[in-house]
Amino acid sequence: MTFTVAIDGPAAAGKGTISKAVAAHFGFAHLDTGLLYRAVGVKVIAGQSPIDAAQTLDPSDLEDDSLRTATVAQAASEVAVIPEVRAALVDFQRTFAARDGGAVLDGRDIGTVICPDADVKLFVTASAACRAERRYKELAGKGHDVTPAGVLADVQERDKRDSERAAAPMVAAENATLIDTSDMSVEQAIAAAISAVDTARHN
Ligand code: CDP
């Protein structure tokens, strides 16, 4: 059985938490596609060219400890505008989406470009202020050297670049269910996502 759940949305909207919970609830596999772009960003910071880095990416590169830093997030959003970088990562994502047993993929272009025929499409968003506050707490909690203003600027800069780029811009798919998590608890956001998937599974 294949069943694909596409979860898109801007930085720190809660996609990761929701995706993991949906995958665990239904027994599906989960791929955080942002890690692919982050892993390319790490290699570019180390001196490799973006296209070469994307074309030679190995699944073991997704386990690098530095992937979650704000510096790598910026590098990821810079390489993500390059069409050849995106093209090099398509097959890996589509193969993952088509795996037996169901898959949840989260990113920016899953419901629009990678899996336009996904069984369920969610667009998870929240105000920039809420997202920045959550990301600040997450990074500061892990001991990263960040400030609230710096995290907000990072989120806003990436939102702008991600939604204005020509190649696979971040946009909600026409048939996506919108979940605005600004005023929701984590539990409420997860419940909304599970309910949308349940509805699609019974149709
Ligand atoms: O966790 P967060 O939402 O902050 O970022 P991420 O999902 O790890 O993505 C990092 C960057 O990769 C984003 O700012 C995008 O520029 C890029 N990205 C993308 O272009 N397409 C995807 N499917 C996933 C991420």
Side-chain angles (χ1 to χ4, degrees):
M1 174 214 72
T2 66
F3 189 90
T4 308
V5 182
I7 304 186
D8 292 304
K15 297 185 304 289
T17 306
I18 290 174
S19 302
K20 281 192 204 96
V22 166
H25 182 88
F26 292 100
F28 298 160
H30 170 228
L31 177 65
D32 172 355
T33 66
L35 288 182
L36 302 172
Y37 295 89
R38 286 174 180 259
V40 173
V42 166
K43 286 168 170 259
V44 169
I45 291 170
Q48 207 172 343
S49 87
I51 296 173
D52 192 42
Q55 288 174 345
T56 58
L57 202 68
D58 184 85
S60 64
D61 297 328
L62 307 183
E63 280 147 36
D64 191 304
D65 281 343
S66 69
L67 290 174
R68 293 284 173 203
T69 65
T71 310
V72 171
Q74 276 295 337
S77 110
E78 283 167 26
V79 301
V81 306
I82 304 169
E84 292 87 345
V85 166
R86 307 197 68 85
L89 304 176
V90 168
D91 284 351
F92 181 80
Q93 296 175 81
R94 288 197 179 142
T95 302
F96 192 96
R99 66 164 51 201
D100 198 28
V104 180
L105 285 82
D106 74 282
R108 302 289 187 288
D109 63 340
I110 308 303
T112 50
V113 174
I114 302 297
C115 304
D117 297 326
D119 298 278
V120 186
K121 297 180 187 179
L122 306 179
F123 194 83
V124 179
T125 188
S127 70
C130 282
R131 292 186 286 118
E133 192 185 326
R134 289 178 195 160
R135 183 53 54 90
Y136 172 74
K137 283 189 185 147
E138 178 191 336
L139 292 174
K142 285 191 204 157
H144 291 243
D145 184 16
V146 284
T147 62
V151 172
L152 177 63
D154 168 71
V155 161
Q156 288 175 325
E157 192 182 329
R158 284 201 289 136
D159 282 357
K160 185 168 159 50
R161 197 185 291 121
D162 292 348
S163 50
E164 291 181 356
R165 69 185 176 218
M170 173 179 68
V171 61
E174 262 180 30
N175 49 353
T177 300
L178 190 74
I179 301 180
D180 186 330
T181 65
S182 303
D183 297 316
M184 284 185 183
S185 66
V186 173
E187 292 74 22
Q188 286 171 325
I190 291 172
I194 288 177
S195 145
V197 176
D198 251 335
T199 305
R201 285 205 340 146
H202 294 115
N203 277 341

Coordinates of all heavy atoms in Angstrom, one line a residue, residues 40 53 62-63 70 72-73 76 85 101 127 146 162 164 190 199 202:
V40 N 23.0 19.9 2.0 CA 23.7 20.5 0.9 C 24.4 21.8 1.4 O 25.5 22.1 1.1 CB 22.8 20.8 -0.3 CG1 23.5 21.6 -1.4 CG2 22.2 19.5 -0.9
A53 N 27.4 19.3 -4.6 CA 27.0 18.8 -3.3 C 25.7 18.1 -3.4 O 25.5 17.0 -2.8 CB 26.9 19.9 -2.3
L62 N 22.6 13.2 6.1 CA 21.5 13.7 6.9 C 21.6 13.5 8.4 O 20.8 14.0 9.1 CB 20.2 13.0 6.4 CG 19.9 13.0 4.9 CD1 18.6 12.4 4.6 CD2 20.0 14.5 4.4
E63 N 22.7 12.9 8.8 CA 22.9 12.7 10.2 C 23.9 13.6 10.8 O 24.3 13.5 12.0 CB 23.4 11.2 10.5 CG 22.2 10.3 10.4 CD 22.5 8.9 9.9 OE1 23.6 8.5 10.2 OE2 21.7 8.4 9.2
A70 N 21.1 27.8 12.9 CA 20.5 28.9 12.1 C 21.4 29.2 10.9 O 20.9 29.6 9.8 CB 20.3 30.1 12.9
V72 N 23.2 27.1 9.1 CA 22.9 26.1 8.1 C 21.6 26.3 7.5 O 21.4 26.1 6.3 CB 23.1 24.7 8.7 CG1 22.6 23.6 7.7 CG2 24.6 24.4 9.1
A73 N 20.6 26.8 8.3 CA 19.3 27.0 7.7 C 19.3 28.1 6.6 O 18.7 28.0 5.5 CB 18.3 27.5 8.8
A76 N 20.9 26.6 3.6 CA 20.0 25.7 2.9 C 19.0 26.6 2.1 O 18.8 26.2 0.9 CB 19.1 25.0 4.0
V85 N 20.0 22.1 -8.1 CA 20.1 21.5 -6.7 C 18.8 20.8 -6.5 O 18.7 19.7 -6.0 CB 20.4 22.6 -5.7 CG1 20.1 22.1 -4.3 CG2 21.8 23.1 -5.8
G101 N 3.7 1.1 2.6 CA 3.3 1.3 4.0 C 3.0 2.7 4.3 O 2.6 3.0 5.5
S127 N 1.8 32.8 12.5 CA 2.3 34.1 12.3 C 3.9 34.1 12.4 O 4.4 33.2 13.1 CB 1.8 35.1 13.3 OG 2.3 34.8 14.6
V146 N 21.7 32.3 20.2 CA 20.8 33.1 19.4 C 20.1 34.1 20.2 O 20.0 34.1 21.4 CB 19.7 32.1 18.8 CG1 20.2 31.3 17.6 CG2 19.1 31.2 19.9
D162 N 12.1 31.9 0.2 CA 11.5 30.7 -0.2 C 10.2 30.9 -1.0 O 9.8 30.2 -1.8 CB 11.1 29.9 1.1 CG 12.3 29.3 1.8 OD1 13.4 29.3 1.3 OD2 12.1 28.8 3.0
E164 N 9.5 33.7 -2.8 CA 9.7 34.6 -4.0 C 10.6 33.9 -5.1 O 10.7 34.4 -6.2 CB 10.4 35.9 -3.6 CG 9.4 36.8 -2.9 CD 9.9 38.1 -2.5 OE1 11.1 38.4 -2.8 OE2 9.2 38.9 -1.9
I190 N -1.7 18.7 16.1 CA -1.6 17.3 15.7 C -2.9 16.7 15.5 O -3.1 15.9 14.5 CB -0.8 16.5 16.9 CG1 0.6 17.0 16.9 CG2 -0.9 15.0 16.6 CD1 1.4 16.4 18.1
T199 N -9.8 11.6 7.3 CA -10.9 11.8 6.4 C -10.5 11.3 5.0 O -11.2 10.7 4.3 CB -11.1 13.4 6.3 OG1 -11.4 13.8 7.6 CG2 -12.3 13.7 5.4
H202 N -10.6 7.5 4.5 CA -11.9 6.9 4.5 C -12.7 7.3 3.2 O -13.8 6.9 3.1 CB -12.7 7.2 5.7 CG -12.0 6.5 6.9 ND1 -11.5 7.2 8.0 CD2 -11.7 5.2 7.2 CE1 -10.9 6.4 8.8 NE2 -11.1 5.1 8.4

